[in-house]
Amino acid sequence: MRELYKNVGSRIHQLDARVKITLTLAFIIFLNLTPFKAWPAYILFLTLIISVALFSRLSFGFVQKRSLMVLPFILAAVPLTFTRQLPYVLVPVFQGIEVPYSPEGFERFASIAFKSWISVQAAIILAATSRFPDLMNALMQLRVPKIFISIIGLMWRYLFLISEEVIRMMRARASRSATMPGSHPMSGSIFRRASVTGGMAGSLFLRSLERSDRVYAAMLSRGYNGELPASEATALAGQDWWFLIIGIPLLAFLWILGMLTGG
Amino acid sequence: MLFSPVLSPQAMHIPDGFLSVIVSIVLWVISAIVVGIALKKTNNELGEREAPLMGILAAAIFAGQMLNFSVTGGTSGHLLGAAIAVILLGPWPAVLVMTSVVSVQALLFQDGGILALGANIMNMAIVGVFVAYTVYALVSYLFKKQSRGIYVAGFVAAWSSIFFASLFCALQLAVSGTSPANISIPAMGAIHALIGIGEGLITTGALVLLSATRKDLLRGGDNKPASNKGVIIGGSILVLALVALSPMASSHPDGLEWVADQHGFIELAKASLFQIVPDYAIPGISNIALATIAAGILGAVIVFSVAYGIARTAIPTSTQESNQR
């Protein structure tokens, strides 16, 4: 598990996180408001997000590889192709078995997959160009409850520590479960394997509960009074306003184009 | 191997693009209200201890989702963690912990969409937790006399949390018109009925260890039954509604009126837009395909140069310094 943020110091990195969150959300909302089959608009949305990725100096391969993680979910939309949406043709696949293939349904499926792929790239750029504290500050100024921000902030602080603990546990399990090559990676029946893993989960939660007691005591002894210190709210700079003033109408324009071309 | 990405908890994190904007926003609003209630209730109960306890347990659940055991043929059992959080903490703190997990996954790891985050919070942090608590309370009440009751209750609660969350997820996809209800509901249900067994086994294993070491922790679920009455009512309604709605929706493949409504809305908006912009082909090129390609290239160039322009020019030097703190 690794943080996505990469400090390569581009203009996009320096942009206020509030602007980045707003624009990412606007991008995803306008893209998803675009009807099915609005291919010209989709291409422009894709052009836009790839240009932003380039100006963020993120490597093309990094963004694309990361965006593949939406792939498994796309399976959920595949059936649209075969559900007898009019007009459909019966395509024989095997003796006597015919599949109702609907070009209309396929195009809907392709639209969903494409939109999903573009949306996730926007989310990747947001995470890869914003530092975690900046994101949290921005969310706080965008009126997300303070206590929730504190919870997520503390979660982030311990996430990598605890995930290393999990990796150590799994390594310990692997080293204690010797098996013949080619057999199951872990020995014993499925119930034994499950109960070993369950024991690991139980001890993880036990350790974490105890850790939280210690952390709380340490926080109290350093003067914690229920709120984490927050940095001052700053006004948006000129550059930030420019991005908003040009970005939102541009997205709205692409959406209108999509409404005109889609079906 | 083919199904291993499907048979993992990730199968329930809806990415952006799969839910219609209306469905996403409605679910955002509902989730925000429920999480608001959870914040208030937990704050009353835990006070300033809330942030460290919730934060560290959320980190533990997130990291704990890496734990897996191989089932067979490349598939593996995973933990989502809603049920174990409910059993250790009670329902309202569990809602908060799961909300934090799902939010961080969406915002920083792109596991689940940003616009779809409301729906994912709804499925995993609200439906998962409410159903797990209701089932746990009910089953452990039935097994009151036996000490093994909590294991059975834990297993059933964990399984139901996954199963009902997945049904709700499939319904959302069907209502958005992105996956036909007669396929997505049985398929999601069946896949998660299997994933749920893995979840149930790990949860039970965790309960065995916890009851051997720190039995006092396992009362977390039932120490304040009065204040959790709402959760039981909500959980029961969710279970009943999903049990009733799923077969009904499955028998209307494309017939959820919502889809039609939205389609009508799009047609209406399109018609009015065409009145404003009557003709958008490029003048001077007679071939339609050529004109479309030319328009496409022109559009791409414009979009690219606007992006380039704002990335390049509008940068007062002062902001550069202030942002490099």
Side-chain angles (χ1 to χ4, degrees):
Chain A
M1 196 182 295
R2 278 184 62 192
E3 195 181 3
L4 231 58
Y5 176 72
K6 282 188 181 154
N7 190 7
V8 286
S10 72
R11 315 284 191 221
I12 311 284
H13 284 72
Q14 291 160 8
L15 201 60
D16 191 292
R18 277 169 289 178
V19 175
K20 276 188 273 192
I21 291 175
T22 313
L23 284 177
T24 308
L25 203 56
F27 182 89
I28 293 172
I29 289 178
F30 276 119
L31 174 62
N32 283 294
L33 278 174
T34 309
F36 292 125
K37 300 191 290 186
W39 294 103
Y42 296 167
I43 302 279
L44 294 184
F45 274 112
L46 180 65
T47 317
L48 179 62
I49 206 65
I50 291 181
S51 341
V52 175
L54 288 179
F55 296 129
S56 315
R57 298 197 203 151
L58 299 172
S59 92
F60 185 74
F62 161 75
V63 176
Q64 293 312 316
K65 216 156 80 188
R66 185 87 199 163
S67 71
L68 286 182
M69 64 182 297
V70 297
L71 209 58
F73 206 90
I74 284 175
L75 274 181
V78 171
L80 280 177
T81 316
F82 306 109
T83 41
R84 295 173 184 273
Q85 228 175 47
L86 291 170
Y88 64 88
V89 282
L90 289 174
V91 181
V93 279
F94 200 63
Q95 296 155 339
I97 300 175
E98 287 178 326
V99 173
Y101 167 75
S102 146
E104 170 78 21
F106 177 75
E107 221 172 342
R108 281 180 89 167
F109 154 70
S111 307
I112 293 166
F114 207 73
K115 277 191 200 176
S116 186
W117 175 54
I118 305 175
S119 305
V120 76
Q121 295 187 39
I124 292 168
I125 293 173
L126 174 66
T129 61
S130 317
R131 290 186 310 168
F132 182 78
D134 293 344
L135 273 183
M136 288 303 114
N137 258 330
L139 287 179
M140 186 142 48
Q141 284 155 26
L142 295 171
R143 303 267 178 277
V144 176
K146 250 185 191 158
I147 181 73
F148 191 63
I149 303 281
S150 310
I151 293 174
I152 291 193
L154 276 156
M155 171 187 177
W156 186 253
R157 256 164 248 193
Y158 288 93
L159 182 57
F160 299 97
L161 186 84
I162 295 181
S163 67
E164 274 162 28
E165 197 165 291
V166 169
I167 291 168
R168 280 200 300 278
M169 282 177 156
M170 302 221 283
R171 193 178 298 137
R173 177 182 64 178
S175 66
R176 284 164 178 78
S177 338
T179 46
M180 297 288 283
S183 65
H184 261 302
M186 288 161 60
S187 52
S189 72
I190 180 166
F191 290 104
R192 164 137 183 85
R193 275 179 266 146
S195 81
V196 167
T197 312
M200 287 158 71
S203 86
L204 175 71
F205 291 125
L206 206 55
R207 289 187 202 178
S208 303
L209 279 172
E210 284 162 0
R211 186 192 295 276
S212 84
D213 284 340
R214 294 196 300 275
V215 168
Y216 175 58
M219 283 164 78
L220 273 187
S221 68
R222 285 164 180 77
Y224 174 66
N225 60 359
E227 269 184 29
L228 296 180
S231 60
E232 295 280 302
T234 48
L236 289 182
Q239 176 197 12
D240 302 324
W241 282 115
W242 274 114
F243 269 87
L244 280 179
I245 291 167
I246 301 175
I248 304 260
L250 177 69
L251 292 169
F253 169 74
L254 293 184
W255 167 66
I256 290 172
L257 194 76
M259 292 299 272
L260 290 172
T261 53
Chain B
M1 273 320 251
L2 181 67
F3 290 105
S4 53
V6 183
L7 288 178
S8 71
Q10 273 69 34
M12 224 188 311
H13 290 71
I14 309 175
D16 281 323
F18 281 83
L19 293 180
S20 70
V21 176
I22 301 170
V23 172
S24 313
I25 289 175
V26 168
L27 290 168
W28 253 116
V29 171
I30 300 174
S31 303
I33 293 169
V34 178
V35 173
I37 297 172
L39 278 171
K40 215 169 162 193
K41 293 235 178 198
T42 315
N43 211 345
N44 290 343
E45 203 176 310
L46 292 171
E48 59 189 36
R49 210 170 155 252
E50 181 184 13
L53 180 62
M54 300 291 104
I56 289 173
L57 278 171
I61 296 231
F62 191 165
Q65 293 185 350
M66 286 195 288
L67 287 176
N68 63 347
F69 66 97
S70 77
V71 177
T72 175
T75 59
S76 53
H78 277 268
L79 188 70
L80 187 74
I84 191 86
V86 168
I87 295 166
L88 282 176
L89 303 166
W92 293 112
V95 168
L96 282 191
V97 165
M98 292 307 291
T99 304
S100 314
V101 171
V102 177
S103 308
V104 167
Q105 283 171 336
L107 209 54
L108 294 144
F109 296 94
Q110 295 81 48
D111 204 353
I114 293 181
L115 181 59
L117 177 58
N120 286 327
I121 290 176
M122 186 75 206
N123 295 339
M124 282 173 277
I126 296 174
V127 175
V129 164
F130 276 38
V131 169
Y133 183 70
T134 308
V135 172
Y136 188 75
L138 181 74
V139 178
S140 46
Y141 175 78
L142 292 177
F143 280 81
K144 219 167 199 171
K145 302 266 151 54
Q146 290 125 321
S147 61
R148 281 170 190 269
I150 57 161
Y151 304 145
V152 181
F155 181 87
V156 183
W159 184 85
S160 329
S161 73
I162 299 281
F163 182 69
F164 285 101
S166 80
L167 284 187
F168 202 45
C169 173
L171 268 178
Q172 290 155 8
L173 293 176
V175 170
S176 300
T178 50
S179 195
N182 61 338
I183 294 182
S184 68
I185 291 174
M188 282 291 258
I191 289 173
H192 286 88
L194 284 177
I195 295 178
I197 294 176
E199 172 93 9
L201 288 173
I202 299 184
T203 304
T204 313
L207 286 180
V208 171
L209 182 119
L210 288 170
S211 68
T213 49
R214 287 283 305 272
K215 200 150 192 176
D216 54 313
L217 290 176
L218 296 181
R219 287 179 295 109
D222 54 13
N223 54 359
K224 272 195 174 178
S227 76
N228 295 334
K229 215 176 240 167
V231 178
I232 294 201
I233 295 170
S236 315
I237 292 174
L238 278 170
V239 169
L240 293 176
L242 286 169
V243 165
L245 268 180
S246 302
M248 218 158 75
S250 308
S251 57
H252 295 281
D254 211 24
L256 293 167
E257 270 76 8
W258 266 80
V259 184
D261 272 355
Q262 276 182 290
H263 206 68
F265 167 75
I266 286 171
E267 292 305 320
L268 196 75
K270 260 181 85 169
S272 51
L273 274 175
F274 269 119
Q275 279 169 356
I276 305 167
V277 195
D279 192 5
Y280 61 98
I282 292 188
I285 304 177
S286 52
N287 188 328
I288 292 179
L290 214 63
T292 314
I293 293 170
I297 294 172
L298 193 68
V301 169
I302 293 172
V303 167
F304 185 79
S305 30
V306 170
Y308 185 80
I310 48 177
R312 211 73 243 230
T313 54
I315 327 131
T317 37
S318 59
T319 55
Q320 238 171 319
E321 283 157 39
S322 70
N323 277 316
Q324 278 166 356
R325 63 186 183 265

